[in-house]
């Protein structure tokens, strides 16, 4: 029999508080969703609250960051995860390839001279100027004169994945100009994200969030930067003074570059690096590793011992028998005199009543390897690396499994590279391009608009980092060749996967072919001329 309500709908059964406490679910009528159940044994103790993006993170940022850094300093797994991520995203050289938006310039100005030919010429000219600045052996691109731009980008990215933020100021330093000195006034100064904070460490306000001055719409307008790090005891005076630096000049040039990976809308600071979600597990693994190592050392030190039937003091005191003392004295004299050896190896002779025993080592413990593997799997998921990249263990990997794992990891690494380049590296290139536009003789058609008028079009660039690498080079190179010949890819795309530009590849090829001919060495098949106009396809 089914009971209906006044509207003719089936009535839900009544649910008592006792049944709710006992573990009622949505199916039994306590809540529509199990995830919202506040009374069951399974979910009742999960008291989570809705925090705003900034209040959720900013008050705890210093604690999280300090613990992340401590773990990276002292734990090999954490240090390896950071190093692998940095090497795959930034590598030894992260560089821009200028890609001016000539189509926009053509439509904007109505000048047909803004075409692909001009774009290629402009790109070569601007990129060569950039390299002379970014790779200056005197490091004038760095305000501290310690790093090239690629090294600055690598260090900034390391800050971002550990601390959550990358932070730098763009300085104008004309005092460095001169013969044998700097050619450009633009210089980059990296800033430790710890120095970005509210003045006097006050709580967040409506217009100040973790040191970021925000507009009514939430846009960053300026930054409060400590004049010195709070840990600099030798610079205590500056460490309690803050400087308010606008984000842009009135003309729109960057003064502060601040980048982070946001988790929520309305977030103004980073602070949760890639290890934050698994920091507790990393700490447990670190403790387990040390405990296993300590036990292994103890076992090796106390490997063998002699078991005696009596204790020389306790038993003698209990029995009050002087003969036991004589027995122990005889044992000592016996071990001192018995030095019998055979071929240099000593033969143990035990006193009557003694046994020779050894410590049985049971380390690492039975569950250690499985626990380590489980934790490393969690770390790999949090960092976006594959388990094989993180652990360095490729013993059980096949070509298919390794290829699949690395392809999935590469999606995350490539996304991180693009986000970092757009948020941190590209503003640096834009600031340099602005100065180069003014002082260098870049190829520009007559009537070209000023840089500030078309900043994005003049400074657009594609960023190249380290290549993906190969598992089976022959298979993957053949795949690239087929993609080019079938029109599914281009030489630019395939060269970019290796961290190269197509122009560099072709230029180097022409040099090598000319040298082969000069020395009378047969030219390889890739350099042989094509007799007919048709392209010979060798697919499949």
């Amino acid at each position: 029999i089914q009971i209906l309500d006044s509207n003719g709908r089936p009535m839900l059964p009544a649910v008592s508080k006792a049944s709710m406490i006992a573990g009622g679910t949505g199916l039994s009528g306590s809540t529509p969703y199990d995830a919202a159940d506040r009374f069951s044994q399974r979910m009742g103790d999960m008291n989570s609250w809705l925090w705003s993006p900034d209040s959720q993170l900013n008050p705890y940022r210093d604690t999280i960051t300090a613990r992340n850094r401590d773990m990276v300093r002292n734990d090999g797994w954490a240090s390896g995860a950071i190093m692998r991520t940095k090497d795959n995203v930034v590598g030894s050289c992260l560089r821009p390839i200028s890609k001016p938006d000539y189509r926009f310039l053509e439509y904007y100005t109505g000048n047909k001279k803004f075409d692909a030919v001009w774009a290629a010429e402009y790109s070569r000219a601007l990129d060569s100027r950039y390299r002379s600045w970014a790779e200056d052996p005197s490091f004038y691109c760095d305000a501290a004169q310690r790093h090239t731009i690629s090294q600055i980008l690598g260090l900034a990215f390391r800050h971002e994945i550990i601390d959550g933020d990358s932070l730098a100021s763009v300085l104008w330093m004309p005092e460095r100009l001169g013969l044998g000195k700097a050619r450009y006034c633009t210089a980059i100064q990296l800033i430790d994200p710890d120095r970005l904070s509210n003045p006097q460490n006050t709580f967040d306000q409506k217009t100040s969030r973790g040191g970021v001055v925000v507009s009514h719409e939430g846009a960053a307008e300026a930054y409060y930067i400590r004049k010195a790090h709070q840990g600099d005891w030798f610079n205590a005076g500056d460490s309690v003074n803050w400087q308010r630096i606008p984000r842009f000049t009135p003309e729109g040039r960057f003064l502060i570059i601040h980048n982070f990976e946001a988790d929520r809308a309305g977030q103004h600071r980073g602070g949760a690096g890639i290890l934050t979600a698994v920091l507790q597990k990393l700490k447990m693994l670190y403790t387990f590793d040390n405990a296993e190592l300590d036990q292994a050392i103890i076992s090796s030190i106390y490997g063998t011992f002699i078991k005696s039937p009596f204790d020389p003091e306790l038993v003698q005191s209990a029995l009050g028998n002087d003969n036991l003392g004589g027995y122990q004295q005889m044992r000592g004299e016996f071990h001192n005199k018995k030095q019998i050896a055979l071929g240099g190896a000593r033969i143990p002779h035990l006193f009557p009543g003694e046994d020779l025993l050894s410590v049985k080592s049971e380390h690492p413990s039975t569950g250690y390897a499985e626990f380590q593997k489980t934790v490393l799997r969690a770390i790999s998921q949090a960092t976006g690396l594959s388990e094989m990249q993180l652990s360095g263990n490729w013993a059980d990997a096949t070509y298919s499994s390794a290829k699949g794992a690395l392809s999935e990891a590469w999606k995350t690494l490539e996304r991180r590279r693009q986000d970092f380049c757009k948020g941190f590296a590209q503003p640096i290139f834009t600031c340099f391009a602005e100065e180069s536009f003014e002082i260098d003789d870049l190829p520009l058609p007559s009537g070209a608009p000023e840089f500030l008028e078309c900043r994005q079009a003049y400074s657009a660039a594609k960023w190249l980092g380290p290549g993906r690498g190969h598992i089976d080079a022959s298979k993957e190179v053949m795949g690239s060749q087929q993609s080019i010949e079938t029109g599914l890819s281009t030489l630019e795309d395939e060269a970019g996967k290796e961290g190269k530009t197509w122009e560099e590849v072709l230029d180097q090829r022409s040099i090598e072919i000319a040298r082969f001919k000069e020395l009378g060495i047969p030219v390889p098949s890739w350099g042989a001329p094509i007799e007919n106009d048709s392209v010979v396809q060798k697919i499949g």
Side-chain angles (χ1 to χ4, degrees):
I1 299 175
Q2 191 173 37
I3 301 176
L4 305 179
D5 61 15
S6 60
N7 296 318
R9 293 174 298 188
M11 294 184 64
L12 295 175
V15 180
S16 66
K17 185 175 182 180
S19 66
M20 295 167 71
I21 296 176
T25 66
L27 294 177
S28 62
S30 63
T31 58
Y33 295 93
D34 290 344
D37 197 335
R38 292 187 177 274
F39 300 100
S40 69
Q41 294 179 353
R42 292 182 292 274
M43 300 296 292
D45 60 348
M46 190 173 181
N47 298 315
S48 303
W49 301 95
L50 290 178
W51 298 85
S52 69
D54 291 327
S55 61
Q56 174 180 277
L57 180 61
N58 291 353
Y60 312 103
R61 184 259 171 198
D62 290 351
T63 300
I64 295 172
T65 298
R67 289 175 173 174
N68 280 340
R69 291 176 186 164
D70 183 85
M71 189 58 64
V72 173
R73 283 196 304 268
N74 296 291
D75 181 65
W77 297 118
S79 178
I82 296 299
M83 180 177 64
R84 291 284 181 274
T85 303
K86 177 186 171 184
D87 289 347
N88 280 277
V89 173
V90 177
S92 60
C93 183
L94 184 63
R95 55 176 175 155
I97 304 300
S98 180
K99 294 287 184 181
D101 192 346
Y102 63 89
R103 290 187 177 88
F104 169 82
L105 292 170
E106 179 187 349
Y107 294 140
Y108 182 77
T109 63
N111 190 340
K112 297 295 184 180
K113 292 184 179 180
F114 284 112
D115 55 14
V117 176
W118 167 84
E121 183 182 358
Y122 174 88
S123 176
R124 284 192 291 269
L126 181 58
D127 289 350
S128 65
R129 269 70 167 188
Y130 174 83
R131 286 194 298 271
S132 71
W133 173 73
E135 301 173 9
D136 184 355
S138 297
F139 308 112
Y140 284 113
C141 58
D142 181 8
Q145 282 190 263
R146 286 197 295 265
H147 304 293
T148 65
I149 290 297
S150 287
Q151 291 172 326
I152 288 175
L153 295 177
L155 184 54
F157 182 74
R158 180 180 171 87
H159 271 293
E160 188 167 315
I161 58 178
I162 297 176
D163 307 340
D165 299 91
S166 53
L167 185 66
S169 63
V170 183
L171 303 182
W172 186 260
M173 306 181 72
E175 64 274 13
R176 288 185 171 185
L177 298 178
L179 184 62
K181 296 183 179 180
R183 173 177 171 80
Y184 301 95
C185 297
T186 302
I188 308 302
Q189 183 176 52
L190 277 180
I191 301 174
D192 192 304
D194 292 353
R195 293 171 55 193
L196 176 60
S197 58
N198 293 331
Q200 307 305 323
N201 289 326
T202 57
F203 291 109
D204 282 352
Q205 307 293 324
K206 184 177 181 180
T207 59
S208 180
R209 313 288 180 83
V212 182
V213 180
V214 300
S215 67
H216 177 73
E217 294 78 15
E221 295 183 330
Y223 298 85
Y224 287 113
I225 308 293
R226 283 179 186 260
K227 292 186 177 180
H229 194 280
Q230 56 265 44
D232 286 345
W233 59 268
F234 48 82
N235 208 359
D238 284 342
S239 68
V240 293
N241 287 296
W242 278 257
Q243 183 179 7
R244 187 183 189 275
I245 305 177
R247 184 182 183 187
F248 299 108
T249 66
E251 295 78 23
R253 178 182 171 87
F254 278 95
L255 291 176
I256 293 291
I257 300 173
H258 177 221
N259 190 59
F260 61 92
E261 184 176 335
D263 297 321
R264 298 175 61 187
Q267 184 176 334
H268 296 92
R269 283 295 305 271
I274 62 175
L275 298 178
T276 301
V278 290
L279 188 62
Q280 186 178 38
K281 291 183 174 63
L282 268 171
K283 184 65 169 62
M284 294 170 63
L285 180 58
Y286 176 77
T287 304
F288 202 168
D289 285 342
N290 287 336
E292 288 293 331
L293 181 60
D294 290 340
Q295 290 296 329
I297 293 174
I298 292 173
S299 299
S300 66
I301 293 175
Y302 299 99
T304 305
F305 62 93
I306 296 176
K307 179 181 179 182
S308 171
F310 303 109
D311 181 87
E313 296 180 359
L314 295 179
V315 179
Q316 182 173 345
S317 175
L319 300 179
N321 188 347
D322 293 337
N323 291 332
L324 183 61
Y327 170 80
Q328 298 294 348
Q329 183 177 357
M330 292 173 62
R331 287 182 60 241
E333 294 174 353
F334 174 84
H335 285 291
N336 288 332
K337 293 179 180 179
K338 282 291 184 180
Q339 301 290 337
I340 302 175
L342 180 62
R346 184 176 175 184
I347 301 176
H349 283 262
L350 302 180
F351 195 72
E354 293 180 338
D355 291 327
L356 182 66
L357 303 177
S358 61
V359 177
K360 182 183 293 185
S361 176
E362 296 182 356
H363 296 280
S365 59
T366 306
Y368 173 72
E370 189 60 33
F371 174 78
Q372 183 187 74
K373 185 176 181 180
T374 300
V375 174
L376 292 180
R377 186 181 297 118
I379 299 171
S380 71
Q381 289 297 308
T383 59
L385 298 171
S386 68
E387 294 180 51
M388 293 164 285
Q389 286 176 297
L390 184 63
S391 66
N393 181 11
W394 299 78
D396 298 328
T398 63
Y399 175 80
S400 298
S401 64
K403 181 68 174 177
L406 293 180
S407 295
E408 286 299 311
W410 190 255
K411 294 177 184 177
T412 299
L413 295 170
E414 180 66 17
R415 189 262 306 163
R416 284 202 168 117
R417 177 190 297 167
Q418 294 300 325
D419 288 348
F420 178 72
C421 288
K422 292 174 183 176
F424 193 89
Q426 183 61 40
I428 292 177
F429 181 70
T430 301
C431 290
F432 169 80
E434 180 179 354
E435 183 177 4
S436 178
F437 199 90
E438 295 298 327
I439 70 170
D440 292 325
D441 186 20
L442 298 177
L444 293 169
S446 59
E450 294 295 328
F451 183 87
L452 297 182
E453 192 175 350
C454 299
R455 177 187 283 112
Q456 184 277 333
Y458 283 127
S459 63
K462 177 181 180 180
W463 288 82
L464 292 182
R468 297 180 61 172
H470 300 289
I471 299 174
D472 188 326
S474 61
K475 291 182 180 179
E476 294 169 34
V477 170
M478 182 63 68
S480 296
Q481 178 185 353
Q482 293 179 356
S483 296
I484 293 174
E485 292 179 347
T486 55
L488 296 177
S489 184
T490 64
L491 180 59
E492 180 181 20
D493 293 334
E494 298 304 321
K497 294 177 183 179
E498 304 298 322
K500 303 176 183 178
T501 69
W502 67 274
E503 288 184 315
E504 290 174 341
V505 172
L506 294 183
D507 289 345
Q508 185 62 30
R509 273 191 172 189
S510 66
I511 293 172
E512 292 176 1
I513 291 173
R515 189 61 174 162
F516 274 117
K517 294 179 178 179
E518 180 183 346
L519 298 177
I521 301 174
V523 178
S525 58
W526 52 261
I530 300 176
E531 297 180 358
N532 301 321
D533 293 335
S534 61
V535 178
V536 180
Q537 295 185 353
K538 298 179 179 179
I539 302 176

